[in-house]
C-alpha cells in the first residue's frame, strides 16, 4: 500500500516562501515510471493540479504558479517537494500530493490544470494547509 504524507504547510505573509514535502512510502521502488503532482483546493473551489514531475524528472506547471513554484524530487528519500516563492493570497488552499503509475499523465501535451490529470492519480495524501495573508 502506497502512502503519501505531506508536510510543510503554514501561514506566511504575501511575498513569502514555503516548501512543501511529500514522503512517499515505497512508491519510487514500486513503479519504474510514474507521474507525481501537487494539487490544491481553495475553499469553495475545485481541486486543481499546479505542478507535476515524472520519473525522468520532467516537470510542468499551471500558468498560475509558473515562475514562482518549483517541483522536485529526491528519489533516495522517496520525497517530493514543492518550493513556493512570491506567495500570494490566492495561493491559500489545502495542498495535496498525488501519484500515478502511468507516466503519460505528466506529458507536456496535458497542460495543468486538467481534470484528466486529476482523475488519473491513483494515490493521494491527506493534505497540508497553506494560508497566505495580505
Amino acid at each position: 500500500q502506497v502512502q503519501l504524507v505531506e508536510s510543510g504547510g503554514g501561514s506566511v505573509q504575501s511575498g513569502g516562501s514555503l516548501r512543501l514535502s511529500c514522503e512517499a512510502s515505497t512508491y519510487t521502488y514500486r513503479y519504474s515510471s510514474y507521474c507525481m503532482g501537487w494539487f490544491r483546493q481553495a475553499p469553495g473551489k475545485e481541486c486543481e493540479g499546479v505542478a507535476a514531475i515524472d520519473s525522468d524528472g520532467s516537470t510542468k506547471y499551471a500558468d498560475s504558479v509558473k515562475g514562482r513554484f518549483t517541483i522536485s524530487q529526491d528519489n533516495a528519500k522517496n520525497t517530493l517537494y514543492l518550493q513556493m516563492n512570491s506567495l500570494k493570497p490566492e495561493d491559500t488552499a489545502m495542498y495535496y500530493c498525488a501519484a500515478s503509475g502511468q507516466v503519460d499523465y505528466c506529458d507536456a501535451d496535458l497542460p495543468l490544470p486538467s481534470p484528466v490529470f486529476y482523475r488519473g492519480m491513483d494515490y493521494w495524501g491527506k493534505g497540508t494547509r497553506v494560508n497566505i495573508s495580505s
Side-chain angles (χ1 to χ4, degrees), residues 5-126:
V5 180
E6 303 95 336
S7 62
S11 296
V12 298
Q13 289 188 327
S14 180
S17 298
L18 284 171
R19 188 175 82 153
L20 307 183
S21 299
C22 172
E23 186 172 350
S25 65
T26 76
Y27 197 82
T28 53
Y29 293 120
R30 181 169 177 165
Y31 297 97
S32 59
S33 61
Y34 56 82
C35 176
M36 297 188 74
W38 284 99
F39 294 75
R40 67 185 182 187
Q41 186 167 22
K45 295 188 176 181
E46 292 185 350
C47 187
E48 62 173 2
V50 295
I53 188 167
D54 68 16
S55 41
D56 289 333
S58 296
T59 60
K60 61 180 180 181
Y61 299 89
D63 287 344
S64 60
V65 306
K66 200 171 293 182
R68 300 188 298 122
F69 290 12
T70 303
I71 188 171
S72 62
Q73 59 190 350
D74 184 335
N75 289 343
K77 296 182 179 179
N78 273 347
T79 302
L80 180 73
Y81 300 100
L82 185 68
Q83 177 66 44
M84 306 187 296
N85 298 328
S86 302
L87 284 161
K88 305 174 181 180
E90 50 264 43
D91 294 319
T92 294
M94 184 71 84
Y95 283 71
Y96 302 89
C97 71
S100 170
Q102 297 186 48
V103 69
D104 289 348
Y105 288 114
C106 272
D107 194 281
D109 291 337
L110 187 65
L112 298 178
S114 164
V116 174
F117 180 65
Y118 173 83
R119 291 193 296 266
M121 297 296 107
D122 300 316
Y123 303 100
W124 291 83
K126 294 184 177 181

